[in-house]
Each structure stands twice: as C-alpha cells, then as structure tokens.
Amino acid sequence: DGGITQSPKYLFRKEGQNVTLSCEQNLNHDAMYWYRQDPGQGLRLIYYSQIVNDFQKGDIAEGYSVSREKKESFPLTVTSAQKNPTAFYLCASSRQGGTGELFFGEGSRLTVL
Amino acid sequence: SQQGEEDPQALSIQEGENATMNCSYKTSINNLQWYRQNSGRGLVHLILIRSNEREKHSGRLRVTLDTSKKSSSLLITASRAADTASYFCATDESNYQLIWGAGTKLIIKP
C-alpha cells in the first residue's frame, strides 16, 4: 500500500541533543512538508520541498534543518537550537507543490527531558 | 500566520445526531479543505471545495462555502462513535502553503 511512513513514533531527547525524524513516502509525490502541532493549535509549517535537492523555510524553521536528497525521503533534524522542541511532528506529501490535498504520516511525538 | 478558525472548539453530541462545525477565514481563497485527525494520529483529507463551489457532498459529509462571508461549514449526518476526532479546515493563503485552523474536537457519545 502506498503511503507515508514516519519514524520513530515516540522519541525522547535530552536537552542539547540533536535528533532526526524520518519521513519516507512511496506515493511518487514531488512535494513534501514538515509540520509541527502543539496542543490546541493548528499545524504550523516548518519546511517544505517541492523537488529533490530543493527546500524552503516555512513559518517556524528556526532550530530545524532538512534535506531532500531523494524524492522519497525528507528527514527533519531538530537541533539543540530549537528552544521548545517538545511537540507532535507531522510529515506530509502532495502530488505537486502548492495547496492541494495533503497525505499525512502518522506523526512523531518528541519529548525533551 | 493563522487564517482558518474553527467554531466551536469542542462539540459533544449523541450518536445518531448531526454535527456541524464552522470555519472562518480572512482573505480570498482558491480552495478550502477539511481534514480529520484521530487522537495521536496523522490527518486524513476529507473534502476540498473550490471558491466557485457552494456545496459539496461525500457520503455523510456535507460542506458548504460562502465566500461573501468568508466561511465554510462541515456537516456530519447520523454521527457514529467512529466520527469522534478533531476536524481541521485549511485554506490556501499563498501559493505554497495551507493555513490551518486550531480545529474542532468532536465527541460522539454512545
């Protein structure tokens, strides 16, 4: 079945550590996105990529980094510079960039100890 | 930037009743989408309505769009326990990203 796989589902990090969240899709979609979700709030865009080897900052990119070396993969690194990293992180993809239908993974919950 | 705003924030109804939730936005849009999120899970796309459409149906879902009032509503008829979830609207404020509301938490009581 086609879809988006995020891993790990739960991750605990000590302050000062970088962590990388994995996102893989087999939908052959060009565009991929990373969102952050905090309780009681809507999704906020961290980074997005419309094509391999290219990505753009979203509204809250500070303290995060991404790469897009393969069409299928869009990993997100939460660096120690992110002041409040505890959140639910969602990866999504769409057939092409823009504002069409998004397909989401199941999310990764990061907790900083 | 936040554009979509859902109303109410939370809604609790009996199984079998209809559930209506609303979304308001601030600027002109090309389309508006509704998504469902079960607790601790990813979002699932429900329906997309374009700015030149006034109403759209999908199974037990009915979405309306009033561009003059900059608002949309999602109606779920004959609710079931499995409809318990949070529902989000998303609008296209720019060419590259969707803008999301904070969601309506729907609880269906058996």
Side-chain angles (χ1 to χ4, degrees), chain A residues 9 33 35 37 40-45 48 50 57-59 88 90 97-102 104-107 109, chain B residues 1-2 31 33 35 37 40-45 48 88 91-103:
Chain A
K9 189 164 179 61
Y33 308 80
Y35 286 96
Q37 186 178 32
Q41 295 189 33
L43 277 63
R44 291 184 291 168
L45 184 64
Y48 69 101
Q50 295 190 329
K57 293 182 179 180
D59 295 329
F88 190 53
L90 287 157
T99 54
E101 178 183 351
L102 294 182
F104 283 86
E106 286 297 297
R109 186 168 297 281
Chain B
S1 55
Q2 198 87 351
N31 68 65
Q33 302 179 49
Y35 289 78
Q37 183 181 33
R41 307 289 297 272
L43 280 74
V44 175
H45 181 263
L48 181 151
F88 294 88
T91 58
D92 58 343
E93 180 183 30
S94 72
N95 289 331
Y96 72 91
Q97 70 165 306
L98 294 175
I99 304 300
W100 300 82

Side-chain angles (χ1 to χ4, degrees), chain A residues 12-85:
Chain A
F12 298 90
R13 188 193 94 175
K14 293 181 180 179
E15 284 192 21
Q17 288 182 334
N18 293 355
V19 293
T20 297
L21 308 180
S22 171
C23 178
E24 303 277 333
Q25 56 102 354
N26 60 3
L27 299 168
N28 199 32
H29 285 172
D30 287 317
M32 297 187 75
Y33 308 80
W34 274 105
Y35 286 96
R36 171 178 170 140
Q37 186 178 32
D38 293 284
Q41 295 189 33
L43 277 63
R44 291 184 291 168
L45 184 64
I46 305 172
Y47 269 98
Y48 69 101
S49 169
Q50 295 190 329
I51 197 169
V52 174
N53 291 324
D54 184 59
F55 49 83
Q56 305 295 330
K57 293 182 179 180
D59 295 329
I60 57 166
E62 185 176 350
Y64 300 97
S65 66
V66 294
S67 63
R68 186 88 187 275
E69 297 175 1
K70 298 186 301 182
K71 187 175 185 177
E72 301 79 16
S73 178
F74 192 40
L76 174 73
T77 296
V78 184
T79 75
S80 57
Q82 170 48 233
K83 291 181 171 48
N84 184 20

